[in-house]
């Protein structure tokens, strides 16, 4: 004869399974954020390629407007027209107003593609990731910086950006 489980045994099994699943939720969320950071770096790399294409057509000068204005010059001149590329996957505070770019990245103008300094010129806004940010350098590479104060003095990318200006 087969023994049937009592109500208490079923409740205990459900609690144990629920607790086991709950242990994995933080790991799953951390994995999702890592994937968003990688996607963010890829998007900054695409923005960098568009900035270099722009500079080839404008005597080696990158767009001469800071932040969203520089990205809008890329979009309006058909270098990178998809507004979604200007939105970090970890945030939703982007879009467009009247067709103009509202980005979740910062851009610093005033550089040329001939500048030989190791400087960053586009980077994550502070609220994009928790204790992390990506920085696009003039040579086209993107580096991620971790820590609660990733933009503070002492962090390589931020210091390079500020010192080289």
């Amino acid at each position: 004869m087969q023994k049937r489980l009592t109500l208490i045994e079923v409740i205990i099994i459900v609690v144990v399974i629920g607790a086991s699943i709950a242990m994995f939720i933080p790991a799953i969320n951390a994995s999702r954020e890592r994937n968003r950071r990688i996607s963010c770096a890829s998007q900054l790399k695409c923005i960098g390629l568009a900035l270099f294409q722009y500079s080839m057509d404008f005597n080696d000068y990158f767009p001469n407007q800071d932040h969203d204005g520089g990205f809008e010059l890329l979009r309006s001149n058909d270098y990178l027209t998809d507004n979604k590329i200007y939105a970090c996957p970890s945030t939703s505070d982007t879009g467009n107003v009247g067709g103009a770019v509202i980005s979740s990245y910062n851009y610093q103008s005033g550089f040329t593609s001939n500048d030989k300094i190791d400087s960053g010129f586009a980077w994550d806004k502070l609220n994009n990731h928790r204790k992390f940010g990506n920085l696009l350098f003039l040579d086209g590479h993107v580096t991620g910086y971790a820590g609660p104060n990733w933009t503070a003095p002492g962090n390589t990318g931020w210091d390079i950006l500020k010192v080289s200006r």
Side-chain angles (χ1 to χ4, degrees), residues 35-163:
N35 291 339
R36 286 191 291 262
R37 289 175 182 177
I38 292 167
S39 181
C40 172
S42 176
Q43 287 180 203
L44 267 174
K45 182 78 172 173
C46 289
I47 291 170
L49 291 172
L51 286 164
F52 278 97
Q53 288 176 327
Y54 179 97
S55 75
M56 285 188 264
D57 292 338
F58 289 89
N59 297 323
D60 298 323
Y61 284 92
F62 295 116
N64 62 357
Q65 296 180 24
D66 290 336
H67 308 299
D68 291 344
F71 298 137
E72 176 56 25
L73 287 173
L74 292 179
R75 190 201 62 79
S76 63
N77 287 302
D78 293 329
Y79 290 97
L80 194 57
T81 58
D82 185 3
N83 280 350
K84 291 178 185 174
I85 201 79
Y86 301 104
C88 174
S90 290
T91 186
S92 61
D93 61 349
T94 60
N96 64 46
V97 176
V101 172
I102 305 296
S103 176
S104 57
Y105 300 109
N106 289 309
Y107 165 73
Q108 179 67 53
S109 66
F111 294 105
T112 72
S113 59
N114 291 328
D115 288 336
K116 298 300 181 202
I117 54 176
D118 187 23
S119 177
F121 70 128
W123 64 97
D124 271 309
K125 288 188 177 175
L126 293 178
N127 62 344
N128 288 1
H129 306 279
R130 186 183 162 155
K131 299 179 183 178
F132 185 87
N134 287 304
L135 181 63
L136 169 67
F137 285 82
L138 279 173
D139 67 358
H141 82 276
V142 174
T143 300
Y145 293 93
N149 300 314
W150 69 273
T151 60
N155 252 340
T156 308
W158 191 255
D159 284 348
I160 288 170
L161 179 71
K162 291 298 184 187
V163 169

